[in-house]
Amino acid sequence: MSDRPWYESFAPPPALPARAWLDTDAPRLSLDGLWRFRYAGRADGPLDFIRPAFDDTGWERLPVPSHWQLHGYGAPAYTNISYPFPLDPPRVPDENPTGDHRHAFRLPEGWPPGGRAVLRLAGADSAARVWLNGVEVGWTSGSRLTSEFDVTEALRPGGDNVVAVRVVQWSAGSYLEDQDMWWLSGLFRGVDLLARPAGGVADVEVRADYDHHTGAGTLTVTAATGQAPARVRVPELGVDVAAGETVRLPRVEPWSAERPRLYDATVSTGAETVTLRIGFRTVRVVDGVLTANGRRLLFRGVNRHEFHPDRGRAVTEEDMREDVLLMKQHNINAVRTSHYPPHPRFLDLCDEYGLWVVDECDLETHGYGTVDWRGNPADDPRWRDALVDRMRRTVERDKNHPSVVLWSLGNESGSGRNLAAMAGWTRRRDPSRPLLYERDWTCRDVDVYSRMYLPVAEVEAIGRGEEAPLDDPALDARRRAMPFIHVEYAHAMGNGPGGLAEYQRLYERYPRLHGGFVWEWIDHGIRARTDDGREFFAYGGDFGEEVHDGNFVADGLLFPDRTSSPGLLDVKKVFEPVQIAGSGDGVAIANRYLDSGLSHLDFRWTLEDDGEVVARGTLAVGDVPAGESTVVRLPSLPATTGEAYVTVCAVLAADEPWAKAGHEVASTQLEVRQPATPRAVTTSPAPVPPRPEGGQLHAGPAVLDGRTGRLVRLGPWEVDGPRLQVWRAPTDNDRAPHGEALEPVWRGAGLDRLTHRVDEVAVTGTGVVVRTRVAPAAVDGALLATYAWTALAGDRLRLVVDIGVEGHVPGPLPMLGVVLGLPGELDQVEWFGRGPGEAYPDTGLATRVGRWFRTVGELQTPYLFPQENGRRAGVRWASVTAGRGGGVRVEGRAPFGLTVRPWTAEALDRAAHPTDLVADGHTWLTLDAGHNGIGSASCGPGVLPGYLLPAAPARLELELRVL
Ligand code: IPT
């Protein structure tokens, strides 16, 4: 249909040919800043504003780069898979939010400096039409791809210029951009005016290979200069050759993510000098193993979307740098740029600090899955050129980055001929990098087998080369010989992910497995405020979207403000490039780096006796080459009397560009001594008989209600409980929108509405025994909780809670424990046990035994969707005290789980945002004998069998003391 508007076209946009993003001495004028802006709900508004004389003084101002939805125009909307508009390509709805942008600028002296002028949009979501001084210069789409326009004829030298851009939210391109993220529009990356000198360097292509057998480098830098001769110089290597000439360098230092050695280089013609940073490295699949510089690559990776809670995808260089530094500091060595090429500066930072990158094309058509992939753009010839264009723009822009080691054709776009065309084009253009695309499991068009969210057992089968065969034997044989990358796994939504260690073990064990990329780096929560001004992070549905996917947008290792979640600390732990373990009376140290020794690390040890540091020192480990191990002896340690551990840490010996000296890279805690006698409970003095008094039972510091058997007073403190607790506010992994959900099973079994019946309050010679039966309406099974109280001399109290099962109670249970309400003024918690962070059976890998202190507030983990959180594991004793002094101490015969909150688990369950949670005046102390594991079923496999909490008898033996 010829009368379709410009943004409803299957064809790729007609902008200038794609090329590398170059650092050049040719003048560049950034047009970023405050622009004039007019918002409309449709895309067919008047084009009055393109005229230079148009009066825009009545328009609002909007920063460029930005998304207009984050500045009060329209609203953000979140869908994961569903398109928020009917599927009828290339048509889009009439309701098409549109931003008209205007920016007047004066060309500085000497502009244009001769030659041509190019206007560059680094990112316009989703399509933009551009005028300069009233002259149309073109239109573009491909939101996360660069577009350039020749504006030479339209530019007014020495005078005032006006650039006008109409950006539409929906375009044909939107069908290719169904990534799991907020729909956010606008000029969200920079706008530049570039001088293109005649005889300048239009494009550069670097090939810098490394031969690990000889240590030699081979360098070819070609330059697109028209007829102009160009020279390539790498002063440090003494290179000064004509562009296009191949130089063999007998000795170079290779680039790797661990040792990101870059050589400064220039490419010059008489008219222009381009500055490059060259890294020598060779990526190759050798005998089914993916290698870099001859060594097997192991990706300890994350999927990274660009995100900032105020700016959306309009991230600044500081945001990018923060991401890179945080990744490096958490032992992450690889990034998949899910699901589009990032801002080009991000790749510069990856080159500089060292991260392996899977660079992904801006392509996803996931929502076609909802209609059985009918009409999928990946297989419709009308879209072919647009898809190839997207791949071309990805590869051309990013081809010179040593950090980029694989190209990805896109994400979740089914399979089809257009993907094959993209692969074919890429292979011809850049044979130096293997190709990846997850969704075509035949791997017909790619070099690497990749899958997402596989269970551990399936990953292991792939590791052994024993995966289920493909129907086509030839394809099967081909795929079986491929290296494997777990391109998304360990969905970090809310509390979790559980089970990271099990995957890592496999990646390290099977050469075919090259690790993977945790989903995902950061929660995409948008900073918002309640009516009364309290800040929270909004997720899908918070902006009134009709179709949305709720908090599935918040599934990162970082909270939106880039503070780390417990999951990130677990990732750091399992990704440790140095493994430290006990070995006889020594310490075994395994170097798991790709190509670094250990000389950059200091090894320190600390001896703690019952949580008190009693000695420390350093270990002389010496240099251990990559892939090798050593055992070092510990010095003879001073005698200890309690529970004692040696913690061995590997820390940076000197400042690195990404962290200061002393930064901890790896650590392990080795048990030195367990106390010879069992804990408190059995060593306590003789029991004191209880004393009935006016309907109450007095037992040492405790006062119990004679009818209900409930503890009502503990020394000076009014208390409530303890009572059997089985419910936990379902985690995102319990709710499992894309996995096997436990929450409905649990609610179905009535675990969220248990009733407690007291069957007996018996006073014995030594104490009080309270028998209860705990069950929901409508079922016949029950839990039987018996609380046996014994007062001990010295204001101490023993409590033994026996939990039994009567009849059929389906497992796994959320948790098993007791909850005790204390006065809210007891808001400081000290404990001896695992910490400092939260831990569940399959999480908390980074925790270690020690003495820790946190306020109740600090013990809460503010997941964007409130859910079970904050549990501390392996607790030997804990005290909960008031600021003014006094409190309660609990000690367990066996280590227990400890959760302390200013609200109940039920209130946590009801909340939609952390701001819904208000302290209810109590400090709720939950002591558990077990929790169900966390797993990763929010998108992927559930809890591994060993971490399930069965509905089986359990016992908590505690001693309470009033402080
Ligand atoms: C898969 C997607 O690739 C990714 O973009 C994201 O949506 C992730 O999982 C979940 O957060 S799609 C999934 C439904 C298999």
Side-chain angles (χ1 to χ4, degrees), residues 80-81 180 305 336 339 364 366 411-412 452-453 488 491 519 552 555 738 939:
N80 168 15
I81 297 170
D180 177 11
H305 268 283
R336 173 177 176 233
H339 301 301
E364 176 160 341
H366 205 165
N411 185 57
E412 292 278 13
M452 47 172 77
Y453 307 109
E488 291 179 25
H491 196 251
W519 185 268
F552 206 63
D555 51 5
H738 290 276
C939 185

mmCIF file of all heavy atoms in Angstrom, residues 80-81 180 305 336 339 364 366 411-412 452-453 488 491 519 552 555 738 939, ligand 1:
data_model
loop_
_atom_site.group_PDB
_atom_site.id
_atom_site.type_symbol
_atom_site.label_atom_id
_atom_site.label_comp_id
_atom_site.label_asym_id
_atom_site.label_seq_id
_atom_site.Cartn_x
_atom_site.Cartn_y
_atom_site.Cartn_z
ATOM 1 N N ASN A 80 6.383 -8.597 28.740
ATOM 2 C CA ASN A 80 7.494 -9.505 28.471
ATOM 3 C C ASN A 80 7.359 -10.027 27.041
ATOM 4 O O ASN A 80 8.166 -9.687 26.165
ATOM 5 C CB ASN A 80 7.462 -10.642 29.506
ATOM 6 C CG ASN A 80 8.386 -11.787 29.161
ATOM 7 O OD1 ASN A 80 9.263 -11.662 28.313
ATOM 8 N ND2 ASN A 80 8.197 -12.919 29.812
ATOM 9 N N ILE A 81 6.342 -10.819 26.813
ATOM 10 C CA ILE A 81 6.218 -11.497 25.526
ATOM 11 C C ILE A 81 5.160 -10.837 24.637
ATOM 12 O O ILE A 81 5.367 -10.676 23.432
ATOM 13 C CB ILE A 81 5.889 -12.990 25.780
ATOM 14 C CG1 ILE A 81 7.056 -13.654 26.539
ATOM 15 C CG2 ILE A 81 5.612 -13.714 24.459
ATOM 16 C CD1 ILE A 81 6.757 -15.044 27.060
ATOM 17 N N ASP A 180 11.920 -8.253 26.319
ATOM 18 C CA ASP A 180 11.324 -8.254 27.651
ATOM 19 C C ASP A 180 11.824 -7.042 28.427
ATOM 20 O O ASP A 180 12.823 -7.115 29.134
ATOM 21 C CB ASP A 180 11.730 -9.556 28.350
ATOM 22 C CG ASP A 180 11.226 -9.639 29.775
ATOM 23 O OD1 ASP A 180 10.399 -8.802 30.170
ATOM 24 O OD2 ASP A 180 11.675 -10.554 30.494
ATOM 25 N N HIS A 305 20.758 -5.690 30.339
ATOM 26 C CA HIS A 305 19.954 -4.681 29.663
ATOM 27 C C HIS A 305 20.514 -3.342 30.084
ATOM 28 O O HIS A 305 21.080 -3.201 31.176
ATOM 29 C CB HIS A 305 18.503 -4.731 30.148
ATOM 30 C CG HIS A 305 17.595 -5.594 29.345
ATOM 31 N ND1 HIS A 305 17.100 -5.206 28.125
ATOM 32 C CD2 HIS A 305 17.064 -6.813 29.594
ATOM 33 C CE1 HIS A 305 16.301 -6.164 27.660
ATOM 34 N NE2 HIS A 305 16.271 -7.155 28.525
ATOM 35 N N ARG A 336 26.369 -10.733 28.032
ATOM 36 C CA ARG A 336 25.583 -10.814 26.798
ATOM 37 C C ARG A 336 24.756 -9.539 26.754
ATOM 38 O O ARG A 336 24.072 -9.209 27.727
ATOM 39 C CB ARG A 336 24.688 -12.039 26.828
ATOM 40 C CG ARG A 336 23.692 -12.133 25.671
ATOM 41 C CD ARG A 336 22.933 -13.439 25.794
ATOM 42 N NE ARG A 336 21.899 -13.633 24.822
ATOM 43 C CZ ARG A 336 20.631 -13.945 25.140
ATOM 44 N NH1 ARG A 336 20.254 -14.031 26.409
ATOM 45 N NH2 ARG A 336 19.745 -14.167 24.205
ATOM 46 N N HIS A 339 18.923 -7.341 24.859
ATOM 47 C CA HIS A 339 18.872 -8.082 23.605
ATOM 48 C C HIS A 339 19.015 -7.102 22.455
ATOM 49 O O HIS A 339 18.142 -6.980 21.608
ATOM 50 C CB HIS A 339 17.547 -8.833 23.467
ATOM 51 C CG HIS A 339 17.267 -9.811 24.569
ATOM 52 N ND1 HIS A 339 18.107 -10.870 24.873
ATOM 53 C CD2 HIS A 339 16.267 -9.920 25.454
ATOM 54 C CE1 HIS A 339 17.597 -11.574 25.878
ATOM 55 N NE2 HIS A 339 16.486 -11.009 26.252
ATOM 56 N N GLU A 364 13.908 -9.149 18.383
ATOM 57 C CA GLU A 364 13.116 -10.144 19.118
ATOM 58 C C GLU A 364 11.675 -10.074 18.634
ATOM 59 O O GLU A 364 11.084 -9.001 18.566
ATOM 60 C CB GLU A 364 13.203 -9.921 20.636
ATOM 61 C CG GLU A 364 12.294 -10.890 21.385
ATOM 62 C CD GLU A 364 12.620 -11.105 22.863
ATOM 63 O OE1 GLU A 364 13.749 -10.812 23.301
ATOM 64 O OE2 GLU A 364 11.718 -11.580 23.582
ATOM 65 N N HIS A 366 9.287 -12.307 19.975
ATOM 66 C CA HIS A 366 8.775 -13.310 20.906
ATOM 67 C C HIS A 366 7.245 -13.434 20.899
ATOM 68 O O HIS A 366 6.687 -14.524 21.034
ATOM 69 C CB HIS A 366 9.260 -12.913 22.306
ATOM 70 C CG HIS A 366 9.362 -14.045 23.252
ATOM 71 N ND1 HIS A 366 10.052 -13.944 24.424
ATOM 72 C CD2 HIS A 366 8.851 -15.287 23.237
ATOM 73 C CE1 HIS A 366 9.982 -15.085 25.082
ATOM 74 N NE2 HIS A 366 9.245 -15.911 24.378
ATOM 75 N N ASN A 411 17.257 -12.473 19.962
ATOM 76 C CA ASN A 411 16.692 -13.296 21.032
ATOM 77 C C ASN A 411 15.279 -13.708 20.691
ATOM 78 O O ASN A 411 14.524 -12.930 20.085
ATOM 79 C CB ASN A 411 16.681 -12.489 22.334
ATOM 80 C CG ASN A 411 16.224 -13.307 23.527
ATOM 81 O OD1 ASN A 411 16.823 -14.344 23.817
ATOM 82 N ND2 ASN A 411 15.176 -12.874 24.203
ATOM 83 N N GLU A 412 14.899 -14.911 21.051
ATOM 84 C CA GLU A 412 13.499 -15.342 21.066
ATOM 85 C C GLU A 412 12.726 -14.877 19.839
ATOM 86 O O GLU A 412 11.727 -14.186 19.945
ATOM 87 C CB GLU A 412 12.808 -14.804 22.326
ATOM 88 C CG GLU A 412 13.303 -15.420 23.614
ATOM 89 C CD GLU A 412 12.664 -16.766 23.929
ATOM 90 O OE1 GLU A 412 12.006 -17.338 23.024
ATOM 91 O OE2 GLU A 412 12.833 -17.228 25.060
ATOM 92 N N MET A 452 18.489 -21.899 27.021
ATOM 93 C CA MET A 452 18.224 -21.126 28.230
ATOM 94 C C MET A 452 17.440 -21.926 29.271
ATOM 95 O O MET A 452 16.647 -22.773 28.918
ATOM 96 C CB MET A 452 17.521 -19.807 27.909
ATOM 97 C CG MET A 452 16.340 -19.858 26.955
ATOM 98 S SD MET A 452 15.463 -18.263 26.851
ATOM 99 C CE MET A 452 16.556 -17.317 25.806
ATOM 100 N N TYR A 453 17.721 -21.662 30.520
ATOM 101 C CA TYR A 453 16.960 -22.183 31.665
ATOM 102 C C TYR A 453 16.846 -23.699 31.704
ATOM 103 O O TYR A 453 15.812 -24.244 32.061
ATOM 104 C CB TYR A 453 15.564 -21.533 31.707
ATOM 105 C CG TYR A 453 15.641 -20.032 31.680
ATOM 106 C CD1 TYR A 453 15.257 -19.295 30.559
ATOM 107 C CD2 TYR A 453 16.155 -19.342 32.772
ATOM 108 C CE1 TYR A 453 15.369 -17.921 30.531
ATOM 109 C CE2 TYR A 453 16.263 -17.961 32.752
ATOM 110 C CZ TYR A 453 15.879 -17.263 31.631
ATOM 111 O OH TYR A 453 15.999 -15.890 31.604
ATOM 112 N N GLU A 488 21.047 -18.074 28.994
ATOM 113 C CA GLU A 488 20.294 -17.498 30.117
ATOM 114 C C GLU A 488 20.074 -18.629 31.108
ATOM 115 O O GLU A 488 19.648 -19.718 30.720
ATOM 116 C CB GLU A 488 18.929 -16.951 29.685
ATOM 117 C CG GLU A 488 19.009 -15.719 28.813
ATOM 118 C CD GLU A 488 17.633 -15.193 28.351
ATOM 119 O OE1 GLU A 488 16.621 -15.446 29.017
ATOM 120 O OE2 GLU A 488 17.607 -14.538 27.295
ATOM 121 N N HIS A 491 17.498 -17.447 36.908
ATOM 122 C CA HIS A 491 16.648 -16.257 36.807
ATOM 123 C C HIS A 491 16.616 -15.524 38.151
ATOM 124 O O HIS A 491 16.044 -16.014 39.128
ATOM 125 C CB HIS A 491 15.249 -16.736 36.418
ATOM 126 C CG HIS A 491 14.361 -15.671 35.922
ATOM 127 N ND1 HIS A 491 13.290 -15.200 36.638
ATOM 128 C CD2 HIS A 491 14.374 -14.987 34.759
ATOM 129 C CE1 HIS A 491 12.674 -14.274 35.937
ATOM 130 N NE2 HIS A 491 13.305 -14.120 34.792
ATOM 131 N N TRP A 519 20.479 -14.638 34.188
ATOM 132 C CA TRP A 519 19.445 -13.653 33.835
ATOM 133 C C TRP A 519 19.015 -12.949 35.095
ATOM 134 O O TRP A 519 18.461 -13.579 35.948
ATOM 135 C CB TRP A 519 18.233 -14.317 33.154
ATOM 136 C CG TRP A 519 17.318 -13.226 32.726
ATOM 137 C CD1 TRP A 519 16.266 -12.679 33.433
ATOM 138 C CD2 TRP A 519 17.401 -12.478 31.501
ATOM 139 N NE1 TRP A 519 15.716 -11.636 32.747
ATOM 140 C CE2 TRP A 519 16.392 -11.490 31.559
ATOM 141 C CE3 TRP A 519 18.256 -12.526 30.382
ATOM 142 C CZ2 TRP A 519 16.195 -10.565 30.518
ATOM 143 C CZ3 TRP A 519 18.049 -11.605 29.365
ATOM 144 C CH2 TRP A 519 17.021 -10.652 29.440
ATOM 145 N N PHE A 552 7.727 -9.121 36.612
ATOM 146 C CA PHE A 552 8.690 -9.935 35.853
ATOM 147 C C PHE A 552 9.813 -9.058 35.285
ATOM 148 O O PHE A 552 10.858 -9.566 34.873
ATOM 149 C CB PHE A 552 7.951 -10.663 34.730
ATOM 150 C CG PHE A 552 8.610 -11.941 34.294
ATOM 151 C CD1 PHE A 552 8.757 -13.009 35.170
ATOM 152 C CD2 PHE A 552 9.095 -12.086 33.002
ATOM 153 C CE1 PHE A 552 9.360 -14.185 34.762
ATOM 154 C CE2 PHE A 552 9.703 -13.260 32.580
ATOM 155 C CZ PHE A 552 9.841 -14.317 33.474
ATOM 156 N N ASP A 555 14.043 -8.632 37.714
ATOM 157 C CA ASP A 555 14.633 -9.959 37.871
ATOM 158 C C ASP A 555 16.150 -9.887 37.757
ATOM 159 O O ASP A 555 16.781 -10.721 37.128
ATOM 160 C CB ASP A 555 14.047 -10.933 36.840
ATOM 161 C CG ASP A 555 14.109 -10.390 35.426
ATOM 162 O OD1 ASP A 555 14.691 -9.291 35.233
ATOM 163 O OD2 ASP A 555 13.606 -11.050 34.504
ATOM 164 N N HIS A 738 6.711 -18.657 35.036
ATOM 165 C CA HIS A 738 7.154 -19.457 33.880
ATOM 166 C C HIS A 738 7.820 -20.751 34.339
ATOM 167 O O HIS A 738 8.797 -21.203 33.755
ATOM 168 C CB HIS A 738 8.118 -18.672 32.993
ATOM 169 C CG HIS A 738 7.458 -17.555 32.254
ATOM 170 N ND1 HIS A 738 6.800 -17.748 31.061
ATOM 171 C CD2 HIS A 738 7.325 -16.240 32.558
ATOM 172 C CE1 HIS A 738 6.307 -16.599 30.653
ATOM 173 N NE2 HIS A 738 6.610 -15.662 31.542
ATOM 174 N N CYS A 939 11.470 -18.504 36.279
ATOM 175 C CA CYS A 939 11.662 -18.778 34.859
ATOM 176 C C CYS A 939 12.728 -19.857 34.804
ATOM 177 O O CYS A 939 13.907 -19.559 34.775
ATOM 178 C CB CYS A 939 12.086 -17.518 34.123
ATOM 179 S SG CYS A 939 12.184 -17.760 32.351
HETATM 180 C C1 IPT B 1 13.475 -15.311 28.332
HETATM 181 C C2 IPT B 1 13.929 -14.117 27.532
HETATM 182 O O1 IPT B 1 14.880 -14.417 26.600
HETATM 183 C C3 IPT B 1 14.368 -12.967 28.337
HETATM 184 O O2 IPT B 1 14.331 -11.827 27.557
HETATM 185 C C4 IPT B 1 13.557 -12.818 29.550
HETATM 186 O O3 IPT B 1 12.242 -12.650 29.190
HETATM 187 C C5 IPT B 1 13.715 -14.036 30.374
HETATM 188 O O4 IPT B 1 13.487 -15.216 29.684
HETATM 189 C C6 IPT B 1 12.842 -14.034 31.580
HETATM 190 O O5 IPT B 1 12.991 -12.900 32.362
HETATM 191 S S1 IPT B 1 11.881 -15.736 27.847
HETATM 192 C C7 IPT B 1 11.311 -16.916 28.960
HETATM 193 C C8 IPT B 1 9.850 -16.835 29.106
HETATM 194 C C9 IPT B 1 11.771 -18.290 28.557
#
